[in-house]
Amino acid sequence: MRQSCILAALLVSSGACLAQSSVELYGIADLGLRATSGLSAKNTPATPGTATAVSSGVDNTSRWGFKGQESLGGGWKALFRLEGGINADTGTSAKSDRMFDRLAWAGLDSPYGTLALGRQTNLLSDALIPVDPLGKRDASFNPNINIAGLSNTAFGTHAFGRQYGPSGYADNFYRLDNTVKYTGNLGPWQARAAYSFGEVPGDAAASSSHGVALAYQRPDWTVSGATTQFRSREGMPLDAWTIGAALKQGAWQFKANAARNVAVTGTDKSVHQRVLSAGLSRALGQSLLVTTAWYAVRREATGLPDDGFDRGFLFVEETLAPRTTAYLEADYTVWRGDAAGLTASRPNDRHGTGLTLGLMQKF
């Protein structure tokens, strides 16, 4: 009830502000009918068998938000953005404890760059935008988002089991609270730097994060990378980096990326993760786009067998209108080591397949 009241107030206030400044309500509603074998409804390993579900956000994460800007003169602008995830299949918020779990920041844009303060994506995520083979589609199942970008490190026996940086969640550090981020552009170069305050009394380093990112962008090719260090509340480090490239040739586009992170999880204990990925996409005519991608994830943890998985994707997207896209998605996963795990003492299927027919609408 409280969130509904806040939402109503925001909608009313946005209508009043629209006449005075540039304020926009926007979002995505993405729903699909998904059939799986050897996977649960949350795309985790499952015992052999098939299942069918209505899934939200397979192509692009369902979300809603507000963004706005106001000119301050002399090339300066004030900016803000508030964005929350939606489970469109159930109508619930992606995070029950936050209305704007994805983004909540305000900042200044100037001839010298953009400075933003608040809850923002980490620099690994920013670096992946132009070079992820899937174009950051299928966020809940995309290894570059989950492993390279650190949005979900909880699966299997190799879970980190704690929070690094001020994300607010254990095993998810894709977005960080209390973040100051600077973005500057100079010709084809784009540089970013960010610091996230842990806000732990008496220990400035605890639960903090800092990093840098650099990209070189040309019309037909891009190179993009980032490195970031996160700290747990106990001061244990998580070091991560990612680097990738994209090349466009006519209707074809090739993308590849490599990423690695190492987390100290206890005394003489650590978890190492690495992701290699590559993909190819081709535009067919004015409205059809076909994208294929492959990801290899390998993990090592102190005292445990190595594990990981290989995962392939196929996306076929048809643009029906400027804001409406129909899509067909297929995926295939092979679990390595003991990554498949057990369900009620029964071994899970070592192979998982999924097929989704969906519709995405933007507003």
Side-chain angles (χ1 to χ4, degrees):
M1 178 64 73
R2 182 171 176 266
Q3 284 194 345
S4 299
C5 293
I6 295 173
L7 173 59
L10 285 170
L11 289 171
V12 171
S13 65
S14 70
C17 294
L18 194 60
Q20 303 171 18
S21 62
S22 173
V23 178
E24 178 185 352
L25 170 66
Y26 69 93
I28 294 175
D30 182 323
L31 284 164
L33 185 62
R34 180 165 170 82
T36 58
S37 175
L39 293 171
S40 71
K42 294 183 178 180
N43 290 324
T44 56
T47 54
T50 60
T52 304
V54 174
S55 295
S56 173
V58 172
D59 194 315
N60 271 267
T61 303
S62 297
R63 70 195 74 169
W64 73 285
F66 295 91
K67 58 183 176 181
Q69 63 180 38
E70 185 171 23
S71 174
L72 303 177
W76 289 70
K77 291 184 292 186
L79 312 171
F80 81 90
R81 191 156 185 169
L82 304 170
E83 184 175 293
I86 302 170
N87 298 316
D89 54 330
T90 62
T92 58
S93 297
K95 300 289 187 183
S96 60
D97 60 331
R98 299 174 188 239
M99 175 173 285
F100 299 113
D101 63 293
R102 293 175 59 85
L103 297 169
W105 59 262
L108 291 172
D109 182 53
S110 76
Y112 312 102
T114 302
L115 184 67
L117 290 79
R119 182 170 175 82
Q120 302 174 70
T121 52
N122 67 38
L123 293 181
L124 305 169
S125 168
D126 296 341
L128 284 164
I129 291 172
V131 296
D132 173 50
L134 274 185
K136 300 189 81 172
R137 294 174 179 82
D138 209 348
S140 65
F141 209 41
N142 183 327
N144 268 346
I145 294 177
N146 287 287
I147 307 300
L150 297 168
S151 79
N152 181 13
T153 65
F155 74 90
T157 56
H158 292 43
F160 291 1
R162 66 184 68 251
Q163 178 181 320
Y164 292 84
S167 67
Y169 305 102
D171 293 301
N172 183 337
F173 331 118
Y174 192 77
R175 296 178 177 86
L176 301 172
D177 298 338
N178 317 321
T179 296
V180 179
K181 184 188 292 186
Y182 170 80
T183 302
N185 295 282
L186 181 62
W189 292 96
Q190 182 182 72
R192 289 189 173 98
Y195 186 89
S196 302
F197 294 86
E199 299 186 353
V200 176
D203 190 344
S207 295
S208 68
S209 172
H210 64 273
V212 293
L214 187 66
Y216 187 81
Q217 304 177 75
R218 304 297 294 177
D220 294 331
W221 60 276
T222 299
V223 177
S224 178
T227 180
T228 299
Q229 183 180 83
F230 307 76
R231 289 273 178 175
S232 72
R233 190 176 183 88
E234 302 81 11
M236 292 184 288
L238 163 60
D239 295 294
W241 59 261
T242 180
I243 186 166
L247 175 65
K248 186 175 182 181
Q249 188 68 38
W252 294 91
Q253 188 169 48
F254 173 77
K255 296 180 180 181
N257 196 81
R260 183 174 175 84
N261 53 69
V262 179
V264 175
T265 56
T267 303
D268 298 323
K269 295 178 64 178
S270 63
V271 176
H272 300 238
Q273 301 187 122
R274 61 185 185 274
V275 186
L276 296 177
S277 58
L280 191 67
S281 63
R282 177 174 170 80
L284 300 173
Q286 297 295 316
S287 60
L288 189 65
L289 179 66
V290 179
T291 303
T292 61
W294 168 84
Y295 297 80
V297 176
R298 300 292 183 268
R299 305 194 307 171
E300 304 165 9
T302 305
L304 296 171
D306 296 349
D307 75 0
F309 59 88
D310 297 297
R311 180 169 295 152
F313 292 90
L314 170 67
F315 268 88
V316 180
E317 298 167 288
E318 175 73 23
T319 301
L320 305 178
R323 294 178 177 268
T324 304
T325 300
Y327 63 88
L328 176 69
E329 177 270 353
D331 56 79
Y332 180 73
T333 302
V334 179
W335 304 102
R336 293 181 172 271
D338 63 352
L342 305 171
T343 298
S345 300
R346 292 181 57 197
N348 289 324
D349 199 330
R350 296 188 61 82
H351 301 80
T353 59
L355 184 67
T356 310
L357 180 62
L359 186 69
M360 176 181 64
Q361 292 186 294
K362 299 178 180 180
F363 59 89

